[in-house]
Amino acid sequence: MQSLPPDIWQAAWLTVRLAATATLFLLAISLPLAHWLARGASLWKDAIFTAVSLPIVLPPSVLGYYLLLLLGPSGPGGWLARVSGAGQTLAFTFWGLVLGSVLYSLPFAVQPIHNAFEAIGPRPLEVAAMLRASPWRAFWTVAVPLAWPGILSGAILGFAHTVGEFGIVLMIGGDIPGRTRVLSVALYDYVENSQWREANIIAEGMVIFSFAIIFLMSLLRRRIGRYR
Amino acid sequence: MTRTPRDLTVMFQGRLQAFRCDLAFTVPGHGVTALTGPSGCGKTTILRAIAGLHRFDNGFCALGDEVWQKPGVFVPPHRRSVGYVFQEPSLLPHLSVRQNLLYGARARAGMPTLEEITSVLGLAGLLHRRPTGLSGGEQQRVAIGRALLAAPAFLLLDEPVSALDRDRKNTVVSFLKRLPIPILYVSHDSDEILEISSEIIRFVDGFVIRAGRSGPDATRICQQPEDRSGHWGERRHG
């Protein structure tokens, strides 16, 4: 096998770093959000759930457009960049990409976690409360361990979805090698420049990665029914 | 009736989904009080409201001078020193029997220890098992032991021995009777009730129809709602 061109390694490493960072934020947001959404119903919760789910149907370029306004020099992101001395804008930076990825992948992380929390039902948490566990302790010692297959699914899906994003990265990230040039964008470049060998390597890698992820998910799904 | 400091005073009024209720009763601060009535009359709903798992908008609930609910006050369930054995054993499926027993364990003078619980309830051989492999009766015994080890000041039991065989039932019932904390005990088995309880509260469709001491010297301790005569149905005179 011929060695991989270094810029593919660079793009791959950046992609993994971006997806891992985004996944950490996704979990930190999705766990409390999904738990809150799963406890009782109200119109207010339905509205939040809908807003979180929007990226499923919105074209990524729409999300990217609004993020560009948000992160650009005249938006709050530009203000933040100037205050923190990071320059004029948060667009075209790694952290801008992280924010975009988190928003874009949020529904894919929230939904399986939400389903898992819902499937537990209220009883185990009532049991914990009757044993005088605080809601905080009940969440970490009962809800999370019982929902872990769903939480793992959410993390994997969020990670994979971030790896697979394209439109939003192009809008807010540009194509800066080592900073914002992730694999999907690199593939696009190679095709533009007729570098078919490199394009092939990335495309095949992505197919194998996606297959592995979805296969892993279906193995996990079998474990979700473990306690029932 | 003389009030001891640990009496449980309950008044609930209003609607909870389809369930309408207007009742007031006092559970004495010692011994076992039975709560009975036809199935579907709301016994479980009342236990849940006492525990703080349901909320009647118009309610009062206090254990001695510890007020759990009154207008403007609603103490969350985990801050109420109450234990609850649900009708379904509801063991935490990801924990072993031992971990279930110890989940809320705390020490309180006069309350049984893990060793006593394990031997009286016959759990010694089960400690390292997972709840999913246990029979209904075994699960029920673990649930009772778990509630007791949390050393509550008041215990709510919802049909706690329904899945136990006769011998085991007798052992558990006499064990419960000896506990130093007051118990509110839901059952529709009249033999079981006469065996275990020193006081009986009976209601139908959310209204207390009779509350009194079990046995021949029954006295009424609770006001009957005046306009509910249609619901009094099975009133008993002791």
Side-chain angles (χ1 to χ4, degrees):
Chain A
M1 190 185 149
Q2 293 163 281
S3 64
L4 284 176
D7 40 348
I8 291 192
W9 279 118
Q10 192 183 41
W13 171 234
L14 178 70
T15 306
V16 169
R17 223 157 35 100
L18 173 65
T21 313
T23 303
L24 284 183
F25 282 97
L26 281 171
L27 281 179
I29 297 169
S30 302
L31 280 178
L33 183 62
H35 190 253
W36 177 71
L37 288 171
R39 298 282 150 253
S42 71
L43 207 59
W44 178 232
K45 288 190 184 187
D46 289 341
I48 299 276
F49 193 72
T50 307
V52 167
S53 305
L54 271 182
I56 295 176
V57 290
L58 273 185
S61 49
V62 171
L63 202 57
Y65 168 72
Y66 283 117
L67 276 169
L68 206 52
L69 295 185
L70 188 75
L71 299 177
S74 43
W79 176 81
L80 198 68
R82 281 190 295 278
V83 165
S84 62
Q88 289 299 309
T89 173
L90 281 183
F92 314 115
T93 66
F94 179 75
W95 291 103
L97 277 194
V98 170
L99 178 65
S101 304
V102 167
L103 285 179
Y104 183 52
S105 299
L106 196 57
F108 296 87
V110 166
Q111 284 192 354
I113 299 177
H114 175 258
N115 292 344
F117 280 143
E118 225 168 34
I120 295 173
R123 178 55 60 83
L125 293 174
E126 290 178 354
V127 165
M130 286 297 100
L131 297 169
R132 275 174 281 167
S134 64
W136 177 257
R137 179 173 174 230
F139 177 75
W140 289 109
T141 60
V142 175
V144 167
L146 284 178
W148 82 263
I151 295 170
L152 200 56
S153 298
I156 293 172
L157 269 183
F159 185 91
H161 196 249
T162 302
V163 169
E165 73 182 327
F166 174 70
I168 204 167
V169 188
L170 211 58
M171 288 291 275
I172 63 169
D175 187 11
I176 307 167
R179 261 174 74 191
T180 62
R181 189 193 208 191
V182 295
L183 280 173
S184 57
V185 178
L187 170 63
Y188 181 74
D189 281 346
Y190 288 132
V191 173
E192 288 271 275
N193 300 328
S194 304
Q195 289 173 271
W196 300 110
R197 189 179 87 84
E198 287 83 355
N200 257 323
I201 292 169
I202 294 182
E204 280 164 17
M206 289 292 223
V207 170
I208 292 168
F209 170 77
S210 305
F211 181 88
I213 289 293
I214 294 172
F215 192 66
L216 187 62
M217 297 288 304
S218 51
L219 292 184
L220 266 179
R221 201 159 305 146
R222 213 179 304 163
R223 290 210 65 167
I224 291 181
R226 191 163 59 136
Y227 299 125
R228 273 179 271 139
Chain B
M1 194 194 129
T2 50
R3 283 180 57 115
T4 60
R6 302 307 268 176
D7 281 0
L8 181 79
T9 313
V10 175
M11 270 173 260
F12 291 128
Q13 215 173 33
R15 245 168 219 291
L16 208 70
Q17 282 124 34
F19 178 66
R20 201 159 66 97
C21 127
D22 183 1
L23 54 81
F25 60 85
T26 302
V27 182
H30 54 84
V32 180
T33 301
L35 185 60
T36 182
S39 47
C41 75
K43 302 184 291 283
T44 298
T45 308
I46 296 307
L47 287 198
R48 291 177 59 84
I50 293 171
L53 301 173
H54 277 329
R55 182 174 188 165
F56 285 104
D57 289 335
N58 193 1
F60 178 85
C61 182
L63 180 65
D65 49 10
E66 205 183 306
V67 177
W68 289 341
Q69 185 182 354
K70 66 180 182 186
V73 173
F74 189 83
V75 177
H78 69 279
R79 296 240 174 81
R80 303 183 180 200
S81 46
V82 62
Y84 192 161
V85 176
F86 293 89
Q87 199 169 359
E88 313 77 22
S90 309
L91 301 183
L92 297 171
H94 61 301
L95 301 179
S96 69
V97 167
R98 186 189 162 83
Q99 287 169 320
N100 264 281
L101 287 170
L102 293 177
Y103 185 85
R106 60 188 71 200
R108 179 194 285 268
M111 288 298 277
T113 61
L114 178 64
E115 288 67 33
E116 291 169 79
I117 294 279
T118 322
S119 82
V120 174
L121 297 176
L123 302 174
L126 307 177
L127 287 179
H128 298 288
R129 301 262 302 273
R130 289 272 164 171
T132 33
L134 304 183
S135 73
E138 288 169 333
Q139 294 194 27
Q140 247 180 358
R141 284 181 280 145
V142 177
I144 294 172
R146 180 175 69 176
L148 291 177
L149 281 169
F154 192 96
L155 191 55
L156 303 167
L157 301 176
D158 198 349
E159 309 257 7
V161 296
S162 59
L164 304 190
D165 60 52
R166 179 181 284 276
D167 286 352
R168 194 71 84 172
K169 204 176 262 190
N170 291 338
T171 320
V172 172
V173 162
S174 63
F175 176 60
L176 291 173
K177 280 171 79 171
R178 291 198 309 272
L179 290 172
I181 52 169
I183 294 176
L184 186 58
Y185 189 99
V186 163
S187 177
H188 58 243
D189 179 335
S190 46
D191 291 343
E192 199 178 295
I193 287 172
L194 288 173
E195 162 64 27
I196 194 171
S197 61
S198 49
E199 198 95 20
I200 297 177
I201 297 169
R202 179 173 183 81
F203 48 86
V204 173
D205 295 336
F207 304 103
V208 172
I209 58 165
R210 179 183 175 278
R213 209 161 291 282
S214 60
D217 60 339
T219 50
R220 231 192 267 168
I221 57 164
C222 190
Q223 208 79 50
Q224 292 168 348
E226 277 160 24
D227 54 342
R228 311 295 181 207
S229 47
H231 292 280
W232 292 2
E234 305 168 57
R235 187 179 343 174
R236 272 178 22 174
H237 296 279

